[in-house]
Amino acid sequence: MNIDLTDTTSSKVNSALVKARRAAGYPAIGMVLTLVIVTDEGNHYDALKAASQASKEHPSRILVVIKRHGRTPRDRATARLDAEVRVGSEAAAGETILLRLHGELANHAQSVVLPLLLPDAPVVVWWPEDAPDKPSEDLLGQLAARRITDASAAEDPVGALSHRADTYAPGDTDLAWTRITPWRSVLAAALDQKHSPITGAVVEGEEYNPSSELLALWLAERLGVPVERDVSAGPGITAVRLMTKDGVICLDRPDGSLAELAVPGQPDRHVALQRRTTAELIAEELRRLDPDEAYEQAVSFGVQRLATRGTVPKLGTVPTHAPVRSAELSTEPSAEPVAVEDPVEPPAPNRAPAKKAAKKTAKKAPPAKKTAKKAPGKGPAK
C-alpha cells in the first residue's frame, strides 16, 4: 500500500501509517529498529533500495529524509512537508516513509523525525553521502545509537577518513571499514596457524581507496610492524602480503571476486572474497548496535602516519608497470612537527693514519739526483 500526503504534519503521517497497517492486516508492530537515511533527491533511490533489502534481515521502519532547501528566496522561506507512506510489499519486510522537507523545514529535520521513531527501539542514522562534519553532534545524529557514514563517497576519501578519526565518538562507523571485514577474517584465520614472527606487511589497492588505508592501519595497530601501501589498478583492495622469516603470507585478489591464500609450507587455497553490495554492508552494520572498538582503534591509529613516497599514478589512470610503493606506515608514536634546519655536513674522516703512512714512504724513498743539462755548443750551465 502506498499513501501520498502533501503539505502534511508528523501526526498525520503517523495516523496514515496506522491506517495502512490495519488495512494490510497486521496491526502489531514487528520492527526491531528505526533506520533514518539522510540524503538528497538524486541519491535517495539507491539508498532506499539498499535499506529495503537489508530490512529482510532486520525488519525496521525506514525514514528517508530528503532535504529540499529551494533555489529561490521564496522557496527557502517556505516550510512544507510532503510524505509518502509505504506498507506491505512496497516496503519489503518493514515500513517506509519518505519525508520531503521543503524550505526552512529542512533545517529542522529532527522535529519531523522524532514523532515517527519506533518506541523503545534503537535508532540508526545513515548518511550515504555528504555526512556532517561531526555526526555525533548533528541534531539527527544525537537521536541515534549508531551513525553510519561512507568515506568513499567523499571528494577526498583519505582526507574524510582522517577527519572521521579527529571527530570520532562512540557509535560512529564507516562503510569503508565494513568493506574490509572479509579481509580481516581471512587474515586473522591465517595468523591463527603456526608461523614465524611477522616483520612487515604490504597492502596493495587503489590509490583513492579508504578501505586500503583502514586495512593498513588495522594491521599496523594489531601487529606492531611497519606496513607499506602499494598502489594498483584495483578493483578495491587487490593483495595483502605479510613478511615472515619463513616466507611471505600472501592473500591475492586480482579480479575482485576470488582470492588465493598462500602460506609458507602449505598448499595454496582459494577464498571467496566477492565485493559486497551496499545492502550487505548495511545489513552487517545493523547486526550489532554497540560501539565498534576495533574501528575506533584502527582509525585513531592515525592516517597522518602514511607518508607519501615515490610517484603515484593520477586518479583514473592504470599503471603499466609494477605497483608503485607510495606510502609506508610507521608503528612508532607520532611526534610534533620539527623545523627543518640546514643540512649538517658529516664529520671529515680521520686521516691521521694515512698521513703517517705517507711520511714513512717518503723517508724510505731515495732522494732525487740533480742533473745538469748541457746546451749544445756552450759550456756547462751555471
Side-chain angles (χ1 to χ4, degrees), residues 15-197:
S15 300
L17 189 61
V18 174
K19 186 183 299 183
R21 194 185 308 121
R22 289 177 178 175
Y26 52 96
I29 299 177
M31 277 69 71
V32 297
L33 58 88
T34 303
L35 176 61
V36 182
I37 305 174
V38 185
T39 181
D40 54 16
E41 196 70 54
N43 297 293
H44 84 279
Y45 175 80
D46 294 334
L48 180 57
K49 182 179 179 180
S52 299
Q53 294 176 359
S55 68
K56 297 177 181 178
E57 182 178 342
H58 309 279
S60 56
R61 175 177 290 180
I62 303 174
L63 304 179
V64 184
V65 179
I66 304 173
K67 298 181 179 182
R68 306 184 68 173
H69 295 276
R71 297 182 179 180
T72 64
R74 180 180 179 181
D75 293 338
R76 289 191 292 268
T78 59
R80 190 178 87 248
L81 171 63
D82 296 338
E84 183 179 344
V85 180
R86 300 177 183 178
V87 178
S89 59
E90 297 288 337
E95 301 171 345
T96 301
I97 305 175
L98 276 72
L99 302 171
R100 289 181 171 86
L101 283 61
H102 298 265
E104 183 62 25
L105 189 61
N107 299 324
H108 305 278
Q110 76 284 355
S111 62
V112 179
V113 170
L114 187 59
L116 301 175
L117 300 178
L118 289 173
D120 301 326
V123 179
V124 179
V125 179
W126 173 32
W127 291 272
E129 67 285 315
D130 299 332
D133 291 337
K134 296 183 178 180
S136 60
E137 297 182 4
D138 185 78
L139 294 177
L140 283 175
Q142 293 176 359
L143 303 175
R146 290 295 296 270
R147 296 167 292 273
I148 305 174
T149 57
D150 192 356
S152 62
E155 185 176 355
D156 181 11
V158 179
L161 198 62
S162 179
H163 184 69
R164 294 286 166 256
D166 297 335
T167 61
Y168 175 83
D172 291 354
T173 190
D174 198 279
L175 293 184
W177 171 256
T178 316
R179 291 184 179 97
I180 65 174
T181 299
W183 287 87
R184 295 189 294 122
S185 300
V186 174
L187 291 173
L191 295 180
D192 282 342
Q193 306 174 23
K194 185 178 180 181
H195 59 83
S196 58

Side-chain angles (χ1 to χ4, degrees), residues 186 190 240-242 247-252 259-271:
V186 174
V240 176
R241 294 183 290 274
L242 305 177
V248 179
I249 301 175
C250 181
L251 181 60
D252 188 14
E260 184 177 2
L261 177 62
V263 180
Q266 299 182 14
D268 296 347
R269 298 187 293 268
H270 292 287
V271 182

Side-chain angles (χ1 to χ4, degrees), residues 103-370:
E104 183 62 25
L105 189 61
N107 299 324
H108 305 278
Q110 76 284 355
S111 62
V112 179
V113 170
L114 187 59
L116 301 175
L117 300 178
L118 289 173
D120 301 326
V123 179
V124 179
V125 179
W126 173 32
W127 291 272
E129 67 285 315
D130 299 332
D133 291 337
K134 296 183 178 180
S136 60
E137 297 182 4
D138 185 78
L139 294 177
L140 283 175
Q142 293 176 359
L143 303 175
R146 290 295 296 270
R147 296 167 292 273
I148 305 174
T149 57
D150 192 356
S152 62
E155 185 176 355
D156 181 11
V158 179
L161 198 62
S162 179
H163 184 69
R164 294 286 166 256
D166 297 335
T167 61
Y168 175 83
D172 291 354
T173 190
D174 198 279
L175 293 184
W177 171 256
T178 316
R179 291 184 179 97
I180 65 174
T181 299
W183 287 87
R184 295 189 294 122
S185 300
V186 174
L187 291 173
L191 295 180
D192 282 342
Q193 306 174 23
K194 185 178 180 181
H195 59 83
S196 58
I198 297 175
T199 59
V202 177
V203 176
E204 180 183 309
E206 290 177 312
E207 179 184 357
Y208 297 95
N209 185 5
S211 297
S212 301
E213 313 298 336
L214 274 176
L215 185 57
L217 291 171
W218 177 73
L219 288 172
E221 191 271 331
R222 290 292 176 177
L223 300 177
V225 298
V227 179
E228 299 178 357
R229 274 278 289 113
D230 278 4
V231 177
S232 68
I237 304 173
T238 53
V240 176
R241 294 183 290 274
L242 305 177
M243 284 61 176
T244 67
K245 295 181 180 179
D246 296 336
V248 179
I249 301 175
C250 181
L251 181 60
D252 188 14
R253 188 192 67 175
D255 58 354
S257 177
L258 188 64
E260 184 177 2
L261 177 62
V263 180
Q266 299 182 14
D268 296 347
R269 298 187 293 268
H270 292 287
V271 182
L273 277 181
Q274 179 70 35
R275 302 193 74 191
R276 297 183 294 170
T277 63
T278 306
E280 295 173 316
L281 301 177
I282 293 297
E284 178 185 332
E285 286 297 334
L286 297 181
R287 292 187 192 124
R288 51 176 297 177
L289 300 178
D290 56 322
D292 194 340
E293 297 178 357
Y295 168 70
E296 176 187 2
Q297 294 171 358
V299 75
S300 301
F301 191 72
V303 182
Q304 68 276 6
R305 295 169 182 261
L306 290 172
T308 303
R309 295 176 56 192
T311 304
V312 180
K314 295 182 179 179
L315 181 62
T317 62
V318 179
T320 57
H321 48 76
V324 179
R325 180 165 296 169
S326 63
E328 181 176 352
L329 185 58
S330 174
T331 57
E332 298 179 357
S334 58
E336 296 295 331
V338 180
V340 179
E341 300 179 355
D342 294 335
V344 180
E345 295 183 358
N350 188 6
R351 296 188 176 89
K355 290 182 178 179
K356 291 181 179 180
K359 289 182 179 180
K360 290 181 179 180
T361 54
K363 291 180 179 179
K364 293 180 180 180
K369 295 181 179 181
K370 296 181 180 180

